[in-house]
Amino acid sequence: MNRWFHKGNSRRFYRLDMPLKVFISPASPIRDRDIFATGIDYFPPTIKQLIEIQKNEAFYWIKRIQDQKVLMTTLFEETINTIEFFGRCAEAVSKGINPKLDPNYWMTIKQYQQGFTTIEPLSQSAPKTYRYFKLIEEKYLFFLNTLITSIEKSTPNLFAAQRNLPYGFKIDEILQQFKAEKFSKIPLIQAILSLASYMETYIEAYRQINDDNILRDFPEDWIQQKVNVSASGLSMVMAKRFKPFEKVDIFIFIPIRKAVCNFNGSIVDIRTIENQHKERIAINFEFPDSKNQNLLQNEIQRFEIEETLEIDLNASV
């Protein structure tokens, strides 16, 4: 629904929903820790709640596995603990903590590079399940090793991120097949699906940590999202959380002009969307310069015109 941005009692600019590539970062990142950090909360209560739901769902199905129950339970539990360790490490890094400075903790991280240690007995007794877990392990190790590399190269002034973290691992193709109705009652398949979702939530949180530290200079790589926007502010839904009233820098990519308009702003509203496990943030632009404001306003008007031209006038006849 179209609404108005307000400042006091005065109406400002008409706003609407439209797809945009937007990059938002705190104006004052953390520079006094072991590792540079943006200051964004990548594991807000909404995400931690989702992680707990996915973990409980995995255990629900694990308890219903009958074949090789002890071996399967041991493997699933090890995998869950391993993924959880990765998540804790990613969260620590997002707060500027360098795990490498703790020798015991760093040694533990290095041990996790060995992968899932209880998987090998399945190679003969359950080769298909063994393959599924090896593919899960492959994806997990890729992101763990990427995180370790970033930690080793990071400084208080830089988080050494990697551009273009990949999507579409082999296990993801198999998981799509597992979502078919015919697999909905099979405990092992459902346990694997729940486990994979659990891992994916942690991976996506880490992906955001990584991307927020490198993609600012690569607007073509920003993910296009639905944004409620006007020339004086915007609101959008995201998995991470900013602080209330925090000062932020906003960058909006205008593809048709190959230009980025930037604004200073502040977070004026944060609302939790419980059923999506996400946050809706609203930002007001503060004293935007006319060049950037006009550029954005022109893009909004262009989008409105294109939307109008696509309306089928005969649809209601």
Side-chain angles (χ1 to χ4, degrees):
M1 180 183 295
N2 295 330
R3 297 180 181 175
W4 295 89
F5 275 102
H6 289 265
K7 186 173 184 180
N9 294 320
S10 63
R11 286 180 172 180
R12 302 185 70 190
F13 292 93
Y14 198 58
R15 68 181 184 179
L16 78 165
D17 292 333
M18 64 179 291
L20 282 175
K21 290 190 172 186
V22 180
F23 189 95
I24 303 170
S25 61
S28 300
I30 301 172
R31 299 181 184 275
D32 59 351
R33 304 278 176 84
D34 305 322
I35 289 178
F36 176 87
T38 62
I40 299 171
D41 185 358
Y42 297 94
F43 294 89
T46 47
I47 291 300
K48 289 187 174 180
Q49 181 187 48
L50 175 60
I51 287 170
E52 195 62 26
I53 290 171
Q54 292 167 331
K55 183 178 179 179
N56 290 338
E57 185 175 329
F59 277 116
Y60 171 86
W61 288 107
I62 291 167
K63 290 177 182 177
R64 284 155 178 77
I65 296 173
Q66 297 301 318
D67 294 341
Q68 304 185 78
K69 189 175 186 65
V70 174
L71 179 58
M72 287 294 186
T73 300
T74 301
L75 175 56
F76 270 102
E77 288 179 347
E78 184 208 10
T79 306
I80 287 172
N81 291 335
T82 301
I83 293 168
E84 190 171 345
F85 181 86
F86 167 82
R88 290 198 304 269
C89 186
E91 184 173 11
V93 168
S94 75
K95 296 177 179 178
I97 299 170
N98 188 346
K100 194 174 181 180
L101 298 181
D102 182 338
N104 292 329
Y105 191 71
W106 190 243
M107 185 179 299
T108 303
I109 292 175
K110 290 292 188 176
Q111 289 173 350
Y112 275 110
Q113 285 184 293
Q114 299 174 16
F116 306 151
T117 60
T118 57
I119 193 175
E120 288 307 319
L122 286 178
S123 62
Q124 298 299 320
S125 60
K128 283 189 177 180
T129 304
Y130 174 80
R131 177 171 176 262
Y132 300 149
F133 270 89
K134 289 300 288 185
L135 291 174
I136 291 172
E137 180 188 61
E138 177 185 51
K139 183 174 180 178
Y140 164 78
L141 286 176
F142 174 86
F143 284 97
L144 176 65
N145 290 329
T146 301
L147 173 58
I148 289 173
T149 300
S150 292
I151 292 170
E152 290 176 329
K153 295 181 178 180
S154 294
T155 70
N157 295 313
L158 170 73
F159 181 87
Q162 177 177 317
R163 188 181 175 189
N164 296 326
L165 289 179
Y167 290 92
F169 288 78
K170 182 62 179 178
I171 186 60
D172 299 323
E173 299 176 19
I174 295 173
L175 293 173
Q176 279 300 117
Q177 299 172 17
F178 283 172
K179 292 178 182 178
E181 180 64 26
K182 64 181 179 180
F183 297 118
S184 63
K185 303 294 184 182
I186 302 176
L188 176 60
I189 299 300
Q190 293 305 310
I192 290 174
L193 276 172
S194 300
L195 176 70
S197 296
Y198 176 72
M199 181 173 74
E200 189 65 22
T201 299
Y202 276 122
I203 286 175
E204 282 307 303
Y206 172 67
R207 188 189 297 276
Q208 289 189 69
I209 296 168
N210 179 88
D211 290 355
D212 283 350
N213 280 282
I214 195 170
L215 292 190
R216 178 168 172 168
D217 296 328
F218 302 99
E220 298 87 355
D221 294 349
W222 301 349
I223 296 175
Q224 186 168 273
Q225 305 171 71
K226 185 175 80 170
V227 180
N228 188 252
V229 64
S230 85
S232 64
L234 61 81
S235 66
M236 59 191 297
V237 175
M238 54 182 60
K240 55 196 175 186
R241 173 178 284 185
F242 290 82
K243 300 180 183 69
F245 312 113
E246 183 174 19
K247 302 296 183 183
V248 292
D249 298 324
I250 307 101
F251 304 87
I252 302 174
F253 182 50
I254 311 297
I256 196 169
R257 296 181 180 273
K258 297 188 182 301
V260 175
C261 46
N262 59 284
F263 302 92
N264 298 322
S266 58
I267 307 293
V268 295
D269 188 49
I270 300 174
R271 299 184 186 183
T272 298
I273 306 176
E274 295 285 354
N275 62 342
Q276 296 182 32
H277 301 283
K278 291 185 177 181
E279 312 277 335
R280 175 193 172 278
I281 66 164
I283 300 172
N284 278 350
F285 301 153
E286 296 184 344
F287 308 108
D289 69 79
S290 58
K291 179 181 177 181
N292 283 300
Q293 197 168 42
N294 289 337
L295 183 62
L296 177 57
Q297 185 64 28
N298 289 338
E299 178 67 6
I300 292 171
Q301 291 172 348
R302 185 188 67 81
F303 175 77
E304 285 191 291
I305 292 171
E306 289 185 354
E307 287 286 286
T308 302
L309 292 175
E310 290 178 3
I311 295 175
D312 185 357
L313 298 178
N314 297 317
S316 59
V317 176

